[in-house]
Amino acid sequence: MLLDTPVRLGVQIAPQHVTYPQIRDAVLRLEEMGVDILFNWDHFFPLSGDPEGLHFESWTMLAAWAEQTERVEFGALVNCNSYRNPDLQADMARTIDHISARGGEGRFIFATGSGWFERDYTEYGYEFGTAGSRLNDLADGLARIEERWQKLNPAPTREIPVMIGGKGEQKTLRLVARHADIWHSFVAAEELPHKLEVVERWAEKEQRDLSRLVVSNELHRRSQDDADELYAAGTRLFTLNFSGPDYDYEIVRSWLRWRDAKNG
């Protein structure tokens, strides 16, 4: 089912407890180091540490990264479908795609999910609903986003890659089969074969070819032995959480060396 693609390393710069100049400098340094993808996250408050600490919004930051960077792909890990009208999300993604293009294709990845952090909803005035209702909204939103991309003038510079996070077998993995180019999860290596079988069954129902689906997973609190097992199970995109203000670039270097060894 899966195409054997090169290993890529994505680094998620946590937009919390740091100033924006610190984030800007981290983006520059990580691109120079050779990271493949840069991510932030789509929340309005810190997810750890002081809940009232420094924090910045995702999409405005991504537009700045589109202009600042030259090579890396980038996106949110992941966007929350609930916070913005789907057609607006499509237009924002298309615009950032164009900003990031350097005489060719853009570099934006539309990574999205149904949302989970209740404080974001309650303090910003969104209806929290239930896990099921938020997934239903995501299904409706993805269809509208893909339709809007076909109508925008100018069109996106490329077919913007869609990345979907989650592992639920009845709804989330069906959305992966229907829409995703990249599937992101935190599942262990021993779980991956079963989850991929579920995705493949849904793909047959959706009549969609997933031979180019990229499997993504998280490196946080995992060893290189764990990463080797995930690689053997089909994972090719590995994401690393990167938190400041005391950024540890040596951890990134070690994972870049591991990536390069895997790619021979």
Side-chain angles (χ1 to χ4, degrees):
M1 172 179 158
L2 299 176
L3 189 68
D4 190 14
T5 58
V7 173
R8 292 189 294 166
L9 178 67
V11 174
Q12 183 185 42
I13 302 174
Q16 62 178 15
H17 307 310
V18 292
T19 65
Y20 191 73
Q22 289 173 305
I23 293 175
R24 183 190 299 117
D25 291 347
V27 167
L28 176 62
R29 188 165 177 179
L30 290 166
E31 182 174 46
E32 288 177 342
M33 288 173 66
V35 166
D36 299 293
I37 305 171
L38 293 175
F39 294 107
N40 62 16
W41 66 45
D42 188 18
H43 296 286
F44 305 129
F45 302 97
L47 297 184
S48 62
D50 180 3
E52 305 305 326
L54 300 175
H55 197 277
F56 293 97
E57 192 274 330
S58 172
W59 278 85
T60 45
M61 185 185 300
L62 293 172
W65 292 5
E67 191 63 55
Q68 176 186 352
T69 59
E70 297 289 334
R71 176 191 56 79
V72 290
E73 292 188 289
F74 61 95
L77 189 62
V78 291
N79 167 70
C80 178
N81 177 72
S82 304
Y83 303 155
R84 302 159 196 91
N85 170 284
D87 293 85
L88 174 62
Q89 292 179 62
D91 205 335
M92 292 164 69
R94 179 282 310 258
T95 300
I96 291 177
D97 167 68
H98 276 264
I99 294 171
S100 70
R102 298 291 184 268
E105 293 185 341
R107 295 171 286 116
F108 181 69
I109 295 173
F110 184 72
T112 194
S114 59
W116 62 272
F117 191 38
E118 189 169 5
R119 185 184 180 191
D120 286 343
Y121 288 79
T122 56
E123 294 212 27
Y124 274 59
Y126 299 105
E127 181 181 350
F128 189 55
T130 66
S133 69
R134 294 193 300 275
L135 278 167
N136 291 339
D137 289 343
L138 177 60
D140 292 341
L142 282 165
R144 287 174 57 183
I145 287 162
E146 291 180 348
E147 182 178 359
R148 180 58 56 184
W149 280 338
Q150 301 302 315
K151 298 177 179 178
L152 289 170
N153 185 17
T157 67
R158 64 173 180 170
E159 290 188 11
I160 296 175
V162 173
M163 180 177 185
I164 296 176
K167 64 175 185 177
E169 296 183 7
Q170 295 306 309
K171 290 187 176 182
T172 302
L173 294 187
R174 184 164 195 173
L175 292 178
V176 170
R178 186 181 300 163
H179 298 284
D181 302 288
I182 307 168
W183 168 49
H184 181 76
S185 77
F186 296 82
V187 302
E190 58 267 23
E191 294 181 76
L192 274 177
H194 169 70
K195 295 295 185 182
L196 289 170
E197 287 177 5
V198 173
V199 173
E200 191 163 14
R201 289 199 298 269
W202 281 126
E204 291 174 0
K205 290 182 180 296
E206 296 291 336
Q207 297 183 322
R208 183 164 179 251
D209 176 15
L210 287 186
S211 61
R212 301 188 69 86
L213 179 71
V214 174
V215 177
S216 171
N217 212 304
E218 171 63 44
L219 291 172
H220 184 57
R221 296 177 180 171
R222 283 178 164 154
S223 67
Q224 290 193 358
D225 287 342
D226 295 327
D228 287 340
E229 292 177 1
L230 288 166
Y231 175 86
T235 304
R236 290 298 181 269
L237 172 58
F238 294 83
T239 66
L240 178 67
N241 180 272
F242 198 57
S243 296
D246 298 319
Y247 293 117
D248 186 352
Y249 289 95
E250 187 52 44
I251 290 177
V252 179
R253 289 189 187 94
S254 69
W255 284 112
L256 285 170
R257 290 192 292 268
W258 179 85
R259 176 202 67 183
D260 294 344
K262 279 286 183 276
N263 289 336

